[in-house]
Amino acid sequence: MRKAIILGIDRQTIFKTLLFGTTPVIANLWPNSTWNDTTETAYPYDPTQAQSLLDAAGYKPGADGIRHGMCNGVDTKLSFNFETTTKQLREDVGNRQSRVC
């Protein structure tokens, strides 16, 4: 699931257009820390592969277009929570990604 989500977000475009290329696309969850391995390569934006991974995990689009799958025996909508500060740039990034997915 995590890989599908990361493949479905166009992080390179976010960094290039909204952050003006001032930071690289990170390959892990801990940038600028001792855990950041700069030899790793970030996953590319690949919505087709992301959809395939979600399909394989049993999360298929319903009639409403929202993916559903079974989680511990319960039909569950696939979603993730995006929280940020109220800085305009962060809100713009969040709004843009909401329209893509």
Side-chain angles (χ1 to χ4, degrees):
M1 297 297 292
R2 292 179 196 168
K3 185 174 180 180
I5 291 170
I6 203 75
L7 288 167
I9 297 173
D10 189 357
R11 297 175 300 142
Q12 185 63 46
T13 296
I14 291 170
F15 286 99
K16 186 170 77 174
T17 60
L18 294 176
L19 300 175
F20 308 106
T22 58
T23 185
V25 174
I26 60 169
N28 60 43
L29 299 176
W30 299 280
N32 304 319
S33 73
T34 56
W35 294 99
N36 188 25
D37 183 352
T38 57
T39 64
E40 293 180 352
T41 302
Y43 284 113
Y45 174 54
D46 190 341
T48 302
Q49 185 182 6
Q51 291 172 2
S52 294
L53 289 171
L54 292 171
D55 287 342
Y59 283 83
K60 309 235 183 219
D64 57 2
I66 297 174
R67 288 180 177 270
H68 294 251
M70 298 303 286
C71 182
N72 296 325
V74 177
D75 182 40
T76 306
K77 286 184 179 183
L78 177 65
S79 66
F80 71 96
N81 190 21
F82 180 84
E83 294 183 24
T84 186
T85 66
T86 57
K87 287 187 174 185
Q88 189 61 50
L89 176 63
R90 292 176 184 250
E91 289 181 357
D92 292 346
V93 170
N95 290 335
R96 184 172 188 279
Q97 282 302 304
S98 295
R99 290 190 302 270
V100 171
C101 299

